[in-house]
Amino acid sequence: MANALAGIAEEMGARLIRGSYSANIKERRDCSTALFDAQGSCIAQAAHIPVHLGALSEAVRAVMAAGPQSGEVFLLNDPYQGGSHLPDLTVVTAIPALEETTVVSAYAVNRAHHADVGGMRPGSMPADSTEIWQEGLVIPPVRLARLQTSGALDWNEDLLRLILANVRNAEQRRGDLQAQVGANTIGVRRFRELLAQFGEAETWRLIAGVIDYSCQRMRAQIRALPDGVYEAADCLEGYGDPPESIWIRVQIEVRGESLRVDFTGTDAASTGNLNAPLAVTRSAVLFALRCLLDPSAPSNAGVEAPIEIFAPRGCLVNAEFPAAVVAGNVETSQRIADVVLRALAPVAGSLSIAQGQGTMNNCVLGNRHFTYYETLGGGQGASPHRPGPDGIHVGMSNTLNTPIEALELEYPLQVIRYELRQDSGGHGRQRGGWGLIRSLRVLEDCTLSLLTDRRHHTPQGEAGGESGQVGINLLNGDRLPSKTSRPLQAGDVITLHTPGGGAWGSIESVESVSDGDASGIPYSDSGDG
């Protein structure tokens, strides 16, 4: 049953990727899919974007508060009503029960990052926003369509026209929304087939067993940890040159079979857009804990049942309306995961790793005619057993890159350079992963927005390992701040050097490791691990 449910979620994702128009979804796969029961509890997730998945439960609850009818399709992106940040549009479809078709049996859900949803700058990810309305069109839970018993869709054309009138590249937005609704439609069909195969009562009995199984696995892992309180802190780079340091502090209390994650002491919400709604904070915490404790357990509500999360209202990781949040979803979520991982490192044993790049290296280029958005990989931190991987998405991002061929075909951009940033990882017994170098020449006048981090604070090594190198942002060879928005002229070249990962263990310790110890492979310039 666990595999059947996960298979439905994965098929929804495949339909969404293949049906979308924008490179954001069809190439980078910046989207996620899941199934929820009628009470709003997650019953299955596809292996997609961590920052999306943990926040979807709040989106479903926000839709439930609007009183959905069987077959109705809801749309939302409001970060204060179940969303994450405005470019992430969430579609929730109420699945009819098999026998009583007017009863909502479950929900098919997906979230996808749209290349633009309006706002003060193309791409809807300005570096200089100070309130939510500057970041795009805010959509509370609204009825977008209705799925008829015949399978046909009745669209709310008035709502669709309103949305498309307030975004750039409207026809691309329309195509992506249609793909999202279509992905949920296949989820509805497959879930109802599952109900027919086993019968409704038996299906829900088995689903309850899967959720309980995940819960018991997580409780067993927590029970194996020593009781106590474990703390960590780390900072984000704010605004200015040099940038201010914005601190996230966490205390994790382990007591028996449960965990309490407390962010008391975290800095107040920023005047900029690094603020994270609580749904994003929950996503980051759950991702980190799953990585440390039980990454192979079926993804459902049972995983989070033993975990309590608290953050003071109005702090950076529990922002309140109308704070700007666009960077909170992509950058603050990374640091939340970092501090949770670091807090539990003393009791996680061999699972502790050095810090990875800790940023998504968000690069947005656009004008009235196009919007390009990319998150770039970098170096992951090393572990006691192996070097850090090179040039990968670390932490809360799990997207692909946009292939050069697709990028140059779709956008007025030219890729000049794309390669691994050699030796950017820290040196140590196990070296840190290498970052990337990517250079783009813009062929039209446009706007640039960068939301990046670890340009001043290095990714830290572990157990005496050296830190990775910081990232560097360049415009025509001149340094840019870690967070900036500015106009570009045709011919300008933007170059990003992404951070390397921290190393594990001191270089001196390599000499004391015997040749037969596979965990003691020394740092090598070859980069082959």
Side-chain angles (χ1 to χ4, degrees):
M1 179 57 69
N3 290 337
L5 294 168
I8 295 172
E10 293 288 351
E11 186 178 358
M12 289 167 60
R15 170 69 67 92
L16 175 53
I17 290 163
R18 285 160 176 76
S20 293
Y21 281 49
S22 68
N24 254 5
I25 305 172
K26 69 182 180 182
E27 299 288 357
R28 292 182 53 246
R29 305 188 180 186
D30 196 345
C31 59
S32 300
T33 53
L35 292 170
F36 286 75
D37 66 18
Q39 290 70 48
S41 297
C42 180
I43 59 178
Q45 297 175 346
H48 288 155
I49 312 299
V51 77
H52 289 173
L53 293 169
L56 288 180
S57 57
E58 292 200 15
V60 174
R61 286 195 290 270
V63 167
M64 291 172 62
Q69 301 297 308
S70 177
E72 286 187 326
V73 182
F74 276 73
L75 174 70
L76 66 97
N77 74 347
D78 187 346
Y80 299 101
Q81 295 189 67
S84 48
H85 65 174
L86 297 184
D88 285 341
L89 299 190
T90 304
V91 174
V92 179
T93 302
I95 302 176
L98 195 61
E99 298 176 0
E100 298 290 335
T101 57
T102 59
V103 174
V104 176
S105 174
Y107 296 95
V109 186
N110 69 67
R111 176 168 287 175
H113 186 111
H114 284 242
D116 187 273
V117 289
M120 65 189 289
R121 299 194 186 280
S124 309
M125 295 189 67
D128 50 350
S129 57
T130 58
E131 56 185 13
I132 190 70
W133 301 289
Q134 296 172 319
E135 298 177 342
L137 181 66
V138 181
I139 307 171
V142 291
R143 289 169 173 84
L144 178 65
R146 184 178 182 86
L147 181 63
Q148 301 294 333
T149 54
S150 64
L153 280 164
D154 289 336
W155 288 85
N156 184 342
E157 293 292 344
D158 288 341
L159 173 64
L160 200 55
R161 283 197 298 271
L162 176 63
I163 293 171
L164 298 180
N166 286 278
V167 302
R168 302 169 183 91
N169 313 115
E171 287 310 304
Q172 192 180 75
R173 301 289 75 69
R174 181 195 296 272
D176 286 349
L177 277 172
Q178 290 173 335
Q180 287 187 262
V181 174
N184 279 3
T185 301
I186 196 68
V188 171
R189 186 186 311 162
R190 294 291 184 257
F191 189 77
R192 286 170 58 82
E193 288 172 358
L194 195 68
L195 293 176
Q197 179 180 354
F198 291 97
E200 288 188 290
E202 179 66 4
T203 300
W204 286 111
R205 187 188 71 81
L206 293 170
I207 290 173
V210 172
I211 293 174
D212 183 65
Y213 172 67
S214 292
C215 180
Q216 294 306 318
R217 283 184 57 159
M218 184 61 76
R219 289 190 184 279
Q221 294 297 322
I222 296 172
R223 188 168 59 245
L225 301 174
D227 284 357
V229 178
Y230 306 94
E231 301 181 353
D234 202 349
C235 66
L236 286 158
E237 296 167 1
Y239 305 90
D241 192 17
E244 61 178 324
S245 294
I246 303 175
W247 285 89
I248 297 174
R249 297 177 175 86
V250 70
Q251 303 87 39
I252 301 178
E253 181 182 1
V254 179
R255 53 179 188 274
E257 296 182 342
S258 63
L259 278 174
R260 187 174 194 270
V261 183
D262 187 343
F263 289 94
T264 298
T266 294
D267 284 355
S270 166
T271 55
N273 57 26
L274 283 164
N275 309 296
L278 191 59
V280 169
T281 298
R282 178 175 291 107
S283 288
V285 170
L286 293 175
F287 163 77
L289 292 178
R290 286 205 66 195
C291 287
L292 282 172
L293 300 178
D294 197 344
S296 63
S299 298
N300 56 50
V303 171
E304 59 182 293
I307 300 164
E308 178 188 355
I309 300 170
F310 173 78
R313 291 176 64 88
C315 76
L316 185 75
V317 299
N318 188 6
E320 295 184 286
F321 179 86
V325 298
V326 70
N329 183 64
V330 291
E331 294 303 294
T332 305
S333 65
Q334 294 279 78
R335 200 63 69 250
I336 294 168
D338 282 348
V339 296
V340 172
L341 289 166
R342 174 152 286 195
L344 283 185
V347 293
S350 61
L351 290 178
S352 64
I353 61 172
Q355 287 184 339
Q357 66 164 345
T359 176
M360 296 190 194
N361 302 294
N362 302 272
C363 179
V364 188
L365 296 163
N367 55 27
R368 293 180 181 179
H369 312 295
F370 82 97
T371 47
Y372 158 82
Y373 171 56
E374 188 92 63
T375 58
L376 296 180
Q380 175 61 291
S383 75
H385 306 299
R386 57 185 60 87
D390 304 324
I392 64 166
H393 286 273
V394 173
M396 300 303 291
S397 173
N398 189 31
T399 64
L400 304 181
N401 68 172
T402 304
I404 293 173
E405 298 83 357
L407 188 156
E408 293 186 338
L409 179 67
E410 184 159 337
Y411 305 109
L413 302 171
Q414 181 182 17
V415 179
I416 299 172
R417 186 180 183 190
Y418 191 30
E419 63 191 63
L420 288 175
R421 185 185 176 195
Q422 294 195 25
D423 294 338
S424 55
H427 293 202
R429 177 173 167 182
Q430 300 288 359
R431 69 166 180 87
W434 293 351
L436 297 173
I437 302 175
R438 190 165 198 172
S439 293
L440 295 168
R441 176 180 286 117
V442 301
L443 305 180
E444 295 180 6
D445 292 354
C446 61
T447 296
L448 166 71
S449 290
L450 292 177
L451 292 169
T452 64
D453 212 272
R454 296 249 166 93
R455 267 48 184 177
H456 293 265
H457 301 99
T458 58
Q460 296 296 300
E462 192 73 24
E466 293 182 358
S467 299
Q469 292 183 15
V470 296
I472 303 170
N473 301 332
L474 300 171
L475 173 59
N476 300 325
D478 297 327
R479 286 217 182 200
L480 293 175
S482 59
K483 297 165 183 68
T484 186
S485 288
R486 62 186 61 206
L488 299 182
Q489 295 181 331
D492 284 344
V493 176
I494 179 72
T495 301
L496 273 68
H497 296 242
T498 68
W504 197 98
S506 65
I507 296 175
E508 290 77 11
S509 67
V510 174
E511 300 173 357
S512 63
V513 177
S514 68
D515 292 339
D517 185 351
S519 69
I521 301 171
Y523 168 81
S524 168
D525 287 333
S526 68
D528 60 7

